Amino acid sequence: AGKRYAVEEALRRQEQRRREHEERRLAHRRVLADDLAAMATSWSEAERIRAFLDAATHAVPVAEQPPECAAWLAWAQAHAASIDPLSRGAIIGKSLEPEPLSSHDE
């Protein structure tokens, strides 16, 4: 009976670990989806700003721009780059699987 109990307990723990892993995996996928949506929003905003800056540059010829205009345009371009996730390439991709639990977490 003791051996049978040990086997059943091991199976129960294995099933519990499997369920916990699946729950962590699903939660991680939700985080990935939220991150993707946030990156798409940031990219869209950066593209919108860049389009506006292109239009502004064409609307006011460089020769007619006040001195502070060039500095502001440079700042605005840098701002667009700072919010564009594509300008930081390597941070776009994320692991599809959650980090494994450390041995002391189990």
Side-chain angles (χ1 to χ4, degrees):
K3 186 175 181 178
R4 180 176 173 212
Y5 174 78
V7 168
E8 288 173 355
E9 182 64 18
L11 289 172
R12 186 188 65 73
R13 276 188 249 151
Q14 180 182 11
E15 178 58 22
Q16 178 65 27
R17 282 192 301 271
R18 187 201 63 74
R19 278 194 308 271
E20 288 170 357
H21 175 73
E22 185 61 20
E23 287 170 8
R24 285 186 303 113
R25 189 179 146 286
L26 291 173
H28 184 68
R29 293 293 169 103
R30 286 188 296 271
V31 168
L32 288 175
D34 290 346
D35 184 57
L36 175 59
M39 285 192 296
T41 298
S42 294
W43 171 79
S44 179
E45 178 68 6
E47 287 295 297
R48 192 173 71 83
I49 290 170
R50 287 184 188 115
F52 172 79
L53 294 174
D54 286 344
T57 301
H58 288 92
V60 181
V62 174
E64 296 176 20
Q65 293 176 358
E68 63 273 1
C69 190
W72 182 85
L73 286 169
W75 169 84
Q77 288 289 354
H79 174 70
S82 76
I83 65 172
D84 184 353
L86 297 181
S87 68
R88 300 176 303 242
I91 69 161
I92 294 172
K94 313 288 189 308
S95 173
L96 294 180
E97 293 299 321
E99 293 292 320
L101 290 175
S102 63
S103 58
H104 61 73
D105 289 340
E106 295 187 76

